């Protein structure tokens, strides 16, 4: 469905608005399963289920790890299931999860509903949007991925104030139903009126010889590349979870952190749009070598400077790099493993993202308990970033040499 000429963002939206809108909405809908959204209702959910905050955290961690494994199973199916049908299945499961969590009087069924939200929201909806943009565009892949990736920060910026406005006159269940209903109407329109692409592969019958896809987990280049693609979510998860310790050690205030967090979401927009443009014009491999520089500089400066300014430096540097990370990562996967296998390979990336963000808080928690100051933790994050960057240079060079795509 891609154009045979390179387009700017305006031209891309004019010629492929339907496809980009569907992919963007998939990523935006994924916010219903993201930690920031569920966290806004943590106390309400705990009260609804009659569990403590600690029990909720344990259940949430178990659900998150389980959804990571399930993404590896259901994610590759987008390579042979038609995207329109795949979207309908995932959307139906997500809405079912919302209804189960908010309506079920049974504890187990409500927890299962929360699990469906994590799997279909954070996992499969985001996977659907990024996979569609990554494989349906070639010359304009960077810009398409840049636009689609804005669905996540859009949700982070739009949903919290909307919820704050509604919470004074609606129950938390009614807020969820209202948001789900609006999204459902938008999805119905796109499913009915958008010209959806076909799946790139065919599912063989049991009697036919099965086509063997790649096995990234058996390839050295996958293990050399994946840590660099995970470094931002790993380190930022630790920063988000332990923001109280970070602000205290750096001599900053909680108010500054809250404002800077909004700055992070806003700074993802220029990061994604500029990153998408540069991928198309300079090449993904060139940008892959540079996109972590803003965050690396931010970690070093924050550790040395301290104070409220350090929080702003971290958040703006992280937001800029984070905006570029998704288009770059998905473009590299297409270059190395091919568009027809993007669903399979990207599902592994999504699963590792879930696993890594689940392990990071535990590791940093031990360091904080041992009395390590957050300035040292930030420098340790910088060292980790540099190591992953060095490891990824081999796969990046290989992607540069690929003749396909």
């Amino acid at each position: 469905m891609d154009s045979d000429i390179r387009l700017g963002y305006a031209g891309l939206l004019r010629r492929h608005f339907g496809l980009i809108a569907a992919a963007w909405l998939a990523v935006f809908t994924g916010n219903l399963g993201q930690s920031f959204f569920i966290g806004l209702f943590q106390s309400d959910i705990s009260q609804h289920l009659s569990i403590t905050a600690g029990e909720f955290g344990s259940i949430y961690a178990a659900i998150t790890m389980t959804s990571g494994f399930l993404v590896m199973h259901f994610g590759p199916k987008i390579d042979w299931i038609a995207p329109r049908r795949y979207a309908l299945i995932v959307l139906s499961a997500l809405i079912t999860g919302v209804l189960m969590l908010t309506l079920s009087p049974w504890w187990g069924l409500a927890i299962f509903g929360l699990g469906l939200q994590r799997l279909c929201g954070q996992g499969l909806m985001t996977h659907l949007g990024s996979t569609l943009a990554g494989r349906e565009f070639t010359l304009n892949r960077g810009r398409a991925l840049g636009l689609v990736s804005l669905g996540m920060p859009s949700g982070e910026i739009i949903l919290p104030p909307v919820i704050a406005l509604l919470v004074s006159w609606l129950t938390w269940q009614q807020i969820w139903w209202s948001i789900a209903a609006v999204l459902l109407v938008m999805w119905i329109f796109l499913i009915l009126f958008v010209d959806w692409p076909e799946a790139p592969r065919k599912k063989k019958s049991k009697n036919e010889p099965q086509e063997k896809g790649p096995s990234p987990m058996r390839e050295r280049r996958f293990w050399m590349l994946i840590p660099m693609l995970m470094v931002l979510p790993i380190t930022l998860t630790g920063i988000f979870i332990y923001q109280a310790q970070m602000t205290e050690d750096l001599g900053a205030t909680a108010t500054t952190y809250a404002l800077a967090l909004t700055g992070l979401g806003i700074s993802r927009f220029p990061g994604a749009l500029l990153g998408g443009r540069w991928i198309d014009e300079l090449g993904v491999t060139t940008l892959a070598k540079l996109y972590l520089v803003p965050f690396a500089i931010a970690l070093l400066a924050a550790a040395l400077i301290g104070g409220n300014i350090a929080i702003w430096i971290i958040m703006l540097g992280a937001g800029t790099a984070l905006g570029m990370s998704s288009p770059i990562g998905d473009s590299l996967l297409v270059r190395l493993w091919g568009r027809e296998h993007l669903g399979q390979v990207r599902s592994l990336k999504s699963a590792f993202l879930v696993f890594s963000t689940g392990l990071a808080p535990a590791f940093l928690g031990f360091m904080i308990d041992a009395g390590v100051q957050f300035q040292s933790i930030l420098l340790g994050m910088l060292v980790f970033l540099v190591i992953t960057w060095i490891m990824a240079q081999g796969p990046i060079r290989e992607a540069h040499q690929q003749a396909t795509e």
Side-chain angles (χ1 to χ4, degrees):
M1 296 184 68
D2 196 7
S3 305
D4 55 1
I5 57 173
R6 199 177 301 282
L7 300 171
Y9 282 112
L12 192 63
L13 286 171
R14 280 195 301 269
R15 298 186 63 168
H16 303 284
F17 178 79
L19 178 61
I20 291 176
W24 181 91
L25 184 60
V27 176
F28 183 89
T29 305
N31 283 293
L32 267 64
Q34 293 291 340
S35 295
F36 88 90
F37 181 80
I38 296 173
L40 294 172
F41 303 92
Q42 180 269 316
S43 60
D44 295 306
I45 296 173
S46 297
Q47 185 177 0
H48 174 65
L49 300 178
S50 299
I51 58 177
T52 66
E55 289 171 337
F56 177 87
S58 299
I59 292 170
Y60 192 74
I63 286 174
T64 298
M65 298 300 286
T66 302
S67 67
F69 284 106
L70 292 176
V71 165
M72 288 195 290
H73 175 72
F74 292 110
K77 296 183 184 298
I78 196 175
D79 288 336
W80 58 79
I81 295 178
R84 189 200 307 263
R85 183 183 171 204
Y86 191 92
L88 274 170
I89 294 171
V90 176
L91 179 64
S92 299
L94 179 62
I95 297 299
T96 300
V98 171
L99 295 177
M100 290 172 68
L101 175 62
T102 55
L103 293 174
S104 176
W106 296 293
W107 182 88
L109 206 57
I111 293 300
F112 184 76
L114 182 60
L116 281 177
Q117 283 185 247
R118 289 290 283 163
L119 169 63
C120 298
Q122 183 202 36
L124 298 180
M125 269 296 178
T126 305
H127 176 63
L128 165 65
S130 297
T131 301
L132 265 181
R135 76 184 183 196
E136 298 303 326
F137 293 89
T138 303
L139 281 176
N140 302 291
R141 179 179 294 134
R143 285 181 171 86
L145 283 167
L147 286 171
V148 168
S149 69
L150 294 178
M152 190 61 63
S154 296
E156 294 168 352
I157 293 171
I158 294 171
L159 291 175
V162 168
I163 292 168
L165 182 65
L166 295 176
V167 75
S168 60
W169 55 288
L170 294 178
T171 66
W172 73 272
Q173 292 100 329
Q174 290 170 337
I175 292 174
W176 283 45
W177 301 336
S178 300
I179 294 173
V182 171
L183 291 174
L184 187 58
V185 170
M186 297 171 68
W187 270 110
I188 291 173
F189 180 83
L190 290 177
I191 287 171
L192 291 177
F193 298 108
V194 166
D195 182 18
W196 289 71
E198 296 297 323
R201 296 165 59 193
K202 299 287 186 182
K203 182 66 174 177
K204 303 289 186 180
S205 67
K206 293 183 178 180
N207 297 327
E208 293 180 285
Q210 296 296 316
E211 177 188 353
K212 290 187 177 181
S215 300
M217 293 182 67
R218 297 182 181 179
E219 300 181 38
R220 182 174 178 269
R221 61 181 180 175
F222 177 81
W223 295 105
M224 299 296 285
L225 178 63
I226 202 68
M228 187 188 77
L229 301 184
M230 296 294 101
V231 68
L232 277 168
I234 289 174
T235 53
L236 287 175
T237 298
I239 288 173
F240 294 156
I241 295 296
Y242 297 110
Q243 52 91 12
Q245 289 81 359
M246 179 180 68
T247 53
E248 181 180 350
D249 288 351
L250 293 180
T253 65
T255 302
T256 297
Y257 175 83
L259 292 172
L261 195 60
T262 302
L264 181 146
I266 295 174
S267 65
R268 289 178 66 171
F269 280 76
L273 295 176
L274 288 174
R277 175 182 175 182
W278 290 337
I279 287 172
D280 292 337
E281 294 180 355
L282 304 176
V284 63
T285 54
T286 299
L287 205 56
K289 298 175 182 178
L290 301 173
Y291 82 102
L292 287 173
V293 171
F295 189 49
I297 294 174
L299 288 173
L300 179 61
L304 296 178
I305 296 173
N308 289 326
I309 187 65
I311 304 298
W312 278 103
I313 291 172
I314 289 176
M315 293 303 172
L316 294 179
T320 302
L322 199 59
M324 291 187 278
S325 64
S326 182
I328 290 171
D330 291 336
S331 295
L332 283 174
L333 296 182
V334 174
R335 186 70 66 87
L336 289 169
W337 283 281
R339 62 178 293 274
E340 68 275 13
H341 301 294
L342 180 59
Q344 177 184 352
V345 181
R346 200 189 177 283
S347 64
L348 290 175
K349 174 191 169 187
S350 298
F352 274 90
L353 172 63
V354 174
F355 298 148
S356 62
T357 54
L359 294 174
F363 179 74
L364 288 187
F366 286 124
M367 295 182 67
I368 291 172
D369 289 344
V372 179
Q373 293 292 301
F374 223 91
Q375 289 89 336
S376 299
I377 291 176
L378 293 176
L379 292 175
M381 290 178 176
L382 176 60
V383 172
F384 175 54
L385 182 152
V386 172
I387 292 173
T388 63
W389 181 86
I390 293 172
M391 290 173 58
Q393 295 312 296
I396 291 174
R397 284 194 297 271
E398 184 177 344
H400 182 70
Q401 296 166 359
Q402 292 285 348
T404 59
E405 300 294 331

